[in-house]
Amino acid sequence: QVQLVESGGGLVQPGGSLRLSCAASGSIGSIDTMGWYRQAPGKQRELVADCTSGRNTNYADSVKGRFTISRDNAKNTVYLQMDSLKPEDTAVYSCYMRLVVYGRSWFTDYWGHGTQVTVSS
């Protein structure tokens, strides 16, 4: 009923920038939190950033000052602007949204399939 599709990953040199996008489609009633997680090989998945419906944002300490999360509610889309990228930012980045499916009254978490970000010279 609901799909999340990410785009914008790729290979970038250290110090470079990338912008990730994640668009939700389907029977969406309302969206509460939108966010991004990442998982590097051999490591646990970690929260990168999230943004509530009230526009409150939360960032991992490792990305504060370099990454910016934003959302466009009209487009059901969340963005992650990543600047000053470091090799340790290399991971699969997955978006998620906590939303209410149209016709229901409870929140459900949906996830995208992930997009690879590789920071290397």
Side-chain angles (χ1 to χ4, degrees):
Q1 287 181 311
V2 175
Q3 285 189 323
L4 273 59
V5 179
E6 299 111 335
S7 61
L11 173 64
V12 64
Q13 292 186 341
S17 298
L18 282 175
R19 189 191 194 207
L20 305 182
S21 301
C22 173
S25 62
S27 300
I28 299 169
S30 63
I31 303 176
D32 180 25
T33 302
M34 300 181 178
W36 293 90
Y37 277 77
R38 69 185 180 186
Q39 186 165 22
K43 294 187 177 181
Q44 288 189 331
R45 185 175 64 184
E46 63 171 347
L47 174 68
V48 178
D50 62 19
C51 180
T52 68
S53 57
R55 308 272 180 183
N56 293 316
T57 58
N58 177 45
Y59 294 92
D61 288 341
S62 59
V63 307
K64 284 181 180 177
R66 300 188 297 120
F67 291 10
T68 304
I69 189 170
S70 60
R71 59 190 284 170
D72 185 335
N73 291 329
K75 296 181 179 180
N76 292 333
T77 299
V78 61
Y79 306 96
L80 185 68
Q81 177 66 41
M82 305 185 293
D83 299 318
S84 302
L85 282 161
K86 303 175 181 180
E88 51 263 43
D89 295 317
T90 296
V92 175
Y93 286 69
S94 300
C95 67
Y96 84 97
M97 296 188 189
R98 177 160 294 167
L99 57 87
V100 176
V101 173
Y102 184 79
R104 297 178 181 175
S105 59
W106 60 91
F107 287 107
T108 304
D109 289 345
Y110 286 87
W111 292 83
H113 291 297
T115 184
Q116 177 69 44
V117 171
T118 302
V119 184
S120 175
S121 55

